[in-house]
């Protein structure tokens, strides 16, 4: 623990200043002028600013005048100087949460400003802050890239999966249906050593398989009770293609629709964070309740939440390495296992056995998600990490898989079975709704083309008259309404976010520059929306074809 010797005195300009361990936090001459010069040098427009070191608050007060509340974070490592609830101390979770809030719905850089001498007074806390910021930046960039890369694919999956959602029992039928122990099997390298034990106890436990883990389980002679899938990519479909299993498939609407289309056993849908519009659509139009599952970056994070949802019994992780145990990325039987020995940019984290192990940023984000989920957990029964390898998951107790079996499984009863029902009665109504959606998309194309024409005319004349602004506002409201009605948010939200980030206001912008920027922003937005509608029409027509095949009706 740091020892801080704090002395307060007065500068020559008459302002209070602080000295800590012999280091002045402010100018002994004029701290106000020093703060103004400091901010002028460090401030960056459109950045999320993190000030390390509050002191008396001179720098913070000037930055507050320039920045919205969500774009400014203050971290003060000296607890005695934290005199306001808006100032964070060194709690890592609090800092991460504030950074996440600052980056939500925005694409922006993070600017860390270290107040004078704070890096000398609290070097460890400063280093930790920089690590948190670096991780947050990588995560935010990865999240943005993922959303932009897969937004069209997700939209296609959401629509096409609605066909199966309306036929399948919802995850809600499984809420606390078990009191049996649940084993969450993930595809880390350490899974291989647990497969023999898992096979011996499979009739007394519920085995929840996280995504691609189905391949090593099947090869190990284990047919799990449930498989969870959330990944919407074609690669994920590759994991499931041609597998033979009787396991019930728990699928998220963003999961690759081909998996659900070809799956032979029972299917059960759930929703992910951000799917409130689809949840409302299913309830209002079909009276179907599909719960939202709090997940994270990986199928394993969703699987953990689902485990707590379906059982009141104890839960154990196996194969959840979150690191490259023996330089391997996955269990040996996983289709995409690779050797990571020569990979660069790996990170060291605390290991299961108190050692240091190497991991990557995606695995680190999964680990962080688990740790956040465990904080939110109110599961009454114990939760254990029985991976016996890989990274330590903070907040989850560790015991060997053998000890978990002795304590919870040996005395467990045979697990009960669940009966799922299927129906097709809602498919005709979905057919009618989608036909209506196609008509709305046709009208939307006309509105967007009108908007593009208006922006071109405005640009030619060199002025933005009120009449044009009013017309575009009316068109924008129509576009927003139709996009909401036909459930296009998975494409439109990342599009708008990206375009707004590309046409940000610059410092000292002239009227001519502002006019040019606003015209270009609007043109990019409407042309982007035009592409969205074209792809959406295609997806919707394909969805109707699949729907009519499911109904046994080939009429157009």
């Amino acid at each position: 623990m740091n020892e801080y010797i704090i002395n307060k005195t007065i500068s020559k300009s008459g302002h209070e200043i602080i000295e800590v361990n012999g280091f002045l936090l402010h100018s002994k001459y004029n701290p106000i002028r020093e703060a103004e010069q400091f901010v002028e040098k460090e401030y960056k427009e459109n950045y999320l600013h993190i000030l390390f070191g509050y002191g008396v608050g001179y720098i913070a007060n000037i930055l507050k005048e320039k920045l919205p509340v969500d774009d400014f974070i203050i971290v003060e490592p000296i607890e005695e100087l934290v005199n306001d609830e808006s100032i964070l101390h060194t709690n890592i979770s609090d800092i991460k949460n504030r950074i996440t809030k600052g980056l939500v719905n925005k694409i922006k850089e993070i600017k860390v400003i270290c107040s004078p001498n704070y890096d000398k007074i609290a070097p460890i806390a400063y280093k930790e802050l920089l690590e948190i910021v670096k991780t947050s930046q990588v995560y935010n960039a990865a999240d943005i890239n993922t959303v932009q890369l897969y937004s069209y694919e997700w939209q296609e999956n959401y629509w096409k999966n609605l066909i199966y959602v309306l036929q399948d029992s919802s995850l809600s039928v499984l809420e606390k249906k078990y009191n049996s122990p649940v084993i969450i099997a993930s595809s880390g390298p350490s899974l291989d050593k647990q497969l023999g034990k898992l096979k011996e106890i499979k009739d007394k436990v519920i085995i929840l398989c996280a995504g691609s883990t189905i391949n090593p389980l099947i090869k190990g002679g284990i047919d799990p009770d449930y498989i969870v899938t959330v990944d919407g990519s074609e690669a994920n479909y590759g994991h499931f293609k041609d597998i033979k299993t009787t396991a019930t498939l728990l699928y998220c609407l963003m999961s690759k629709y081909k998996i659900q289309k070809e799956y032979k056993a029972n299917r059960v849908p759930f929703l992910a964070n951000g799917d409130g519009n689809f949840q409302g659509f299913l309830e209002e139009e079909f009276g179907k309740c599909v719960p939202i599952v709090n997940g994270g970056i990986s199928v394993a994070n969703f699987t953990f939440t689902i485990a707590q949802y379906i059982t009141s019994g104890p839960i154990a992780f196996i194969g959840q390495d979150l690191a490259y145990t023996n330089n391997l990325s996955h269990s040996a039987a996983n289709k995409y296992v690779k050797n990571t020995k020569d990979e660069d940019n790996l990170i060291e984290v605390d290991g299961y056995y108190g050692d240091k192990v190497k991991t990557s940023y995606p695995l680190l984000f999964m680990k962080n998600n688990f740790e956040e989920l465990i904080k939110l957990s109110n599961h009454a029964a114990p939760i254990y990490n029985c991976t016996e390898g890989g990274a330590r998951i903070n907040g989850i107790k560790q015991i060997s898989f053998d000890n978990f079996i002795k304590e919870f499984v040996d005395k467990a009863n045979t697990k009960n079975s669940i009966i799922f029902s299927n129906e097709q009665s809602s498919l005709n109504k979905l057919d009618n709704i989608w036909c209506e959606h196609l008509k709305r998309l046709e009208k939307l194309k006309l509105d967007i083309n009108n908007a593009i024409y208006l922006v071109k005319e405005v640009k030619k004349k060199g002025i933005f008259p009120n009449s044009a602004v009013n017309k575009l506002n009316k068109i924008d409201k129509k576009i927003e309404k139709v996009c909401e009605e036909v459930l296009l948010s998975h494409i439109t939200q990342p599009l708008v976010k990206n375009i707004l980030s590309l046409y940000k206001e610059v410092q000292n912008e002239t009227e001519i520059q502002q006019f040019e920027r606003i015209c270009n922003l609007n043109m990019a937005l409407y042309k982007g929306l035009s592409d969205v509608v074209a792809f959406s029409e295609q997806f919707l027509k394909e969805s109707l074809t699949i729907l009519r095949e499911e109904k046994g009706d080939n009429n157009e």
Side-chain angles (χ1 to χ4, degrees):
M1 185 175 177
N2 289 317
E3 293 285 339
Y4 296 113
I5 301 170
I6 302 171
N7 293 311
K8 295 183 179 181
T9 185
I10 302 298
S11 68
K12 292 191 176 181
S13 60
H15 298 92
E16 182 185 34
I17 56 174
I18 296 173
E19 181 183 86
V20 178
N21 295 353
F23 292 99
L24 281 170
L25 305 186
H26 315 280
S27 167
K28 62 182 179 181
Y29 299 104
N30 192 327
I32 300 292
R33 187 185 303 151
E34 176 201 47
E36 291 170 345
Q37 293 170 345
F38 187 82
V39 169
E40 185 178 350
K41 179 184 174 184
E42 296 291 340
Y43 169 76
K44 283 196 173 184
E45 194 167 12
N46 296 314
Y47 274 58
L48 172 65
H49 289 69
I50 303 176
L51 179 66
F52 183 73
Y54 180 77
V56 176
Y58 300 122
I59 294 172
N61 290 337
I62 294 170
L63 280 169
K64 281 178 182 176
E65 294 174 3
K66 290 177 169 286
L67 293 163
V69 173
D70 288 343
D71 286 356
F72 185 34
I73 299 169
I74 306 169
V75 178
E76 173 55 70
I78 304 171
E79 193 168 6
E80 294 89 332
L81 301 181
V82 179
N83 57 15
D84 187 286
E85 62 180 14
S86 66
I87 301 172
L88 302 180
H89 188 34
T90 52
N91 183 288
I92 291 173
S93 179
D94 289 345
I95 295 170
K96 284 181 181 176
N97 290 339
R98 285 286 290 276
I99 291 174
T100 300
K101 183 180 178 182
L103 293 174
V104 72
N105 294 325
K106 298 172 185 174
I107 301 175
K108 59 169 64 182
E109 296 293 334
I110 302 174
K111 171 69 175 176
V112 178
I113 301 174
C114 182
S115 292
N117 289 323
Y118 265 88
D119 53 339
K120 301 180 182 71
I121 296 165
I124 295 174
Y126 185 51
K127 184 180 178 182
E128 287 176 349
L129 175 63
L130 294 178
E131 284 297 318
I132 293 169
V133 169
K134 182 180 178 182
T135 302
S136 298
Q137 285 177 311
V138 172
Y139 182 85
N140 192 52
D143 183 51
I144 290 164
N145 291 337
T146 300
V147 170
Q148 291 177 353
L149 182 64
Y150 291 110
S151 59
Y152 283 84
E153 200 162 7
W154 287 343
Q155 187 68 49
E156 179 185 21
N157 290 332
Y158 270 86
W159 271 343
K160 292 178 180 177
N161 277 326
L162 281 175
I163 298 165
Y164 313 113
V165 170
L166 293 177
Q167 299 179 69
D168 300 336
S169 295
S170 161
L171 183 67
S172 59
V173 304
L174 288 174
E175 186 174 7
K176 298 300 181 190
K177 288 295 183 183
Y178 297 104
N179 55 22
S180 307
V182 169
I183 311 298
I184 299 173
S186 294
S187 199
S190 296
L191 176 67
D192 296 338
K193 66 185 176 185
Q194 312 287 26
L195 290 175
K197 299 169 191 173
L198 186 62
K199 188 175 182 179
E200 291 174 6
I201 64 170
K202 63 185 178 65
D203 293 329
K204 285 192 168 186
V205 298
I206 304 300
I207 301 174
L208 266 181
C209 166
S212 63
T213 312
I214 185 58
N215 292 291
L217 290 184
I218 294 293
K219 286 184 180 180
I222 302 163
D223 200 9
D225 297 279
Y226 298 97
I227 310 171
V228 182
T229 176
V230 300
D231 188 348
S233 69
E234 191 73 24
N236 189 37
Y237 170 61
H239 287 298
F240 289 86
K241 195 174 182 181
D242 302 324
I243 62 164
K244 294 179 181 178
T245 176
T246 60
T248 296
L249 184 72
L250 308 182
Y251 65 96
C252 178
L253 263 70
M254 75 175 78
S255 171
K256 190 65 179 179
Y257 75 93
K258 291 180 183 178
I259 299 170
Q260 284 68 253
K261 184 179 182 182
E262 298 176 12
Y263 202 75
K264 304 301 182 188
N266 288 316
R267 303 173 308 222
V268 172
F270 64 91
L271 296 165
N273 290 10
D275 290 347
N277 54 346
F278 277 88
Q279 188 181 52
F281 172 76
L282 287 165
E283 288 181 359
E284 290 167 20
E285 296 290 349
F286 303 99
K288 192 174 186 82
C289 177
V290 182
I292 289 176
V293 171
N294 191 11
I297 193 173
S298 162
V299 62
N301 301 129
F302 283 92
T303 306
F304 176 43
T305 303
I306 289 171
Q308 298 172 76
Y309 186 86
I310 68 174
T311 189
S312 57
I315 297 169
F317 289 96
I318 60 172
Q320 195 58 75
D321 291 62
L322 300 170
Y324 298 131
T325 305
N326 299 323
N327 297 317
L328 294 176
S329 62
H330 296 86
S331 160
N334 189 287
K335 285 186 178 181
Y336 298 114
V337 62
K338 64 178 181 178
N339 193 302
T340 62
K341 185 177 180 181
D342 298 322
E343 282 199 14
D344 296 326
N345 301 319
L346 297 183
I347 312 151
E348 277 198 344
V349 295
D350 292 334
Y352 188 94
Y353 294 110
D355 53 348
K356 292 289 182 182
V357 293
K358 290 186 176 181
T359 190
S360 63
Y361 276 111
L363 292 176
L364 180 61
F365 299 150
M366 285 173 60
K367 177 180 177 302
N368 291 342
N369 284 153
F370 278 124
E371 290 169 356
E372 291 302 320
L373 289 171
I374 201 68
K375 286 178 185 175
L376 298 172
S377 173
N378 58 3
H379 193 66
I383 301 169
Y384 293 105
N385 185 359
C386 303
T387 296
E388 298 179 62
R392 175 180 290 275
I393 305 173
N394 295 318
I396 302 179
K397 294 178 181 178
Q398 297 182 172
I399 60 173
S400 70
F401 196 32
D402 278 336
N403 284 343
F404 182 86
I405 292 169
K406 287 174 186 175
E407 187 171 351
F408 300 106
V409 180
D410 287 345
K411 57 189 178 185
N413 298 319
T414 304
K415 60 196 177 190
N416 53 310
S417 58
I418 307 293
I419 298 173
F420 301 99
S421 60
N422 297 308
E423 59 178 58
Q424 286 192 315
S425 60
S426 298
L427 295 186
N428 286 329
K429 184 173 183 181
L430 183 62
D431 191 318
N432 294 333
I433 288 171
W434 277 350
C435 287
E436 184 61 34
H437 282 183
L438 282 172
K439 292 176 184 177
R440 290 177 183 174
L441 289 176
E442 278 295 324
K443 291 179 181 177
L444 187 60
K445 282 196 293 188
L446 294 175
D447 288 327
I448 292 170
N449 287 335
N450 287 336
I452 290 172
Y453 174 79
L454 271 172
V455 175
K456 284 181 179 178
E457 289 298 303
V458 163
K459 199 168 183 180
K460 280 181 190 176
K461 294 176 181 177
I463 57 168
F464 231 122
N466 288 334
S467 58
V469 172
N470 292 335
K471 286 178 183 177
L472 287 175
N473 284 339
K474 287 180 181 178
I475 291 173
D476 287 346
K477 287 178 182 177
K478 284 184 184 179
I479 293 172
E480 186 178 351
K481 183 182 178 184
V482 174
C483 286
E484 186 178 332
E485 288 172 345
V486 301
L487 305 172
L488 282 178
S489 62
H490 284 87
I491 303 183
T492 56
Q493 286 178 1
L495 168 73
V496 172
K497 183 177 178 180
N498 183 46
I499 289 173
L500 290 176
S501 74
L502 295 174
Y503 295 94
K504 293 181 288 193
E505 183 179 353
V506 296
Q507 201 167 2
N508 302 319
E509 189 176 57
T510 65
E511 287 187 12
I512 294 173
Q513 288 172 326
Q514 184 188 52
F515 174 79
E516 191 77 15
R517 177 178 59 80
I518 291 172
C519 285
N520 291 339
L521 184 154
N522 278 279
M523 187 61 72
L525 184 61
Y526 293 127
K527 285 185 175 180
L529 287 169
S530 180
D531 290 339
V532 163
V533 172
F535 277 103
S536 299
E537 273 191 312
Q538 176 190 329
F539 293 152
L540 207 44
K541 287 174 181 176
E542 290 172 1
S543 300
L544 270 170
T545 300
I546 296 171
L547 172 63
R548 288 165 182 172
E549 287 173 359
E550 287 285 326
K551 293 194 301 173
D553 175 9
N554 293 318
N555 295 326
E556 292 300 323

